[in-house]
């Protein structure tokens, strides 16, 4: 994998959100040896990042959207404009 695809994959991961875990281990010397005395695993849900979504959408080139996607986007925007109150 090249660096650009690694970066794009990381950006996509941030855009959709992800789960992560962190493990913290504490060791102590017992009988002259290091022994694991405590292990704490913390799991976190990282929500989607709007800035990452914006970066992905801004990075799209016009040719990246199919005709069907362009038509659907146009219809969605037209519907939003019709629903908007311009008074």
């Amino acid at each position: 994998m090249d660096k650009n695809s690694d970066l794009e994959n990381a950006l996509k991961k941030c855009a959709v959100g992800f789960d992560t875990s962190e493990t913290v281990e504490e060791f102590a010397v017992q009988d002259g040896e290091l022994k694991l005395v405590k292990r704490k695993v913390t799991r976190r849900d990282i929500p989607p990042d709007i800035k990452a979504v914006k970066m992905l959408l801004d990075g799209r080139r016009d040719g990246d959207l199919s005709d069907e996607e362009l038509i659907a986007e146009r219809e969605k925007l037209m519907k939003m404009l019709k629903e908007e109150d311009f008074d």
Side-chain angles (χ1 to χ4, degrees):
M1 252 192 228
D2 63 23
K3 290 183 181 185
N4 286 337
S5 63
D6 289 345
L7 182 61
E8 185 176 346
N9 289 336
L11 193 56
K12 286 178 183 178
K13 183 177 178 180
C14 287
V16 297
F18 58 96
D19 296 326
T20 186
S21 65
E22 177 183 31
T23 303
V24 177
E25 298 176 333
E26 291 182 25
F27 292 87
V29 177
Q30 294 177 349
D31 300 326
E33 295 182 22
L34 278 178
K35 294 195 179 191
L36 179 65
V37 292
K38 184 177 180 182
R39 177 179 287 144
K40 180 180 178 182
V41 178
T42 305
R43 297 194 193 304
R44 293 184 0 170
D45 178 39
I46 307 299
D49 184 347
I50 299 301
K51 290 180 184 179
V53 172
K54 184 175 180 349
M55 286 178 69
L56 284 172
L57 292 176
D58 286 347
R60 279 188 151 182
R61 292 181 213 98
D62 292 337
D64 286 349
L65 295 176
S66 68
D67 289 343
E68 293 82 17
E69 290 173 319
L70 286 171
I71 291 169
E73 185 67 21
R74 182 179 144 252
E75 289 174 2
K76 182 177 95 175
L77 292 171
M78 293 299 289
K79 182 179 178 185
M80 288 172 57
L81 285 171
K82 287 179 185 177
E83 292 174 353
E84 187 71 33
D85 185 16
F86 291 103
D87 294 330

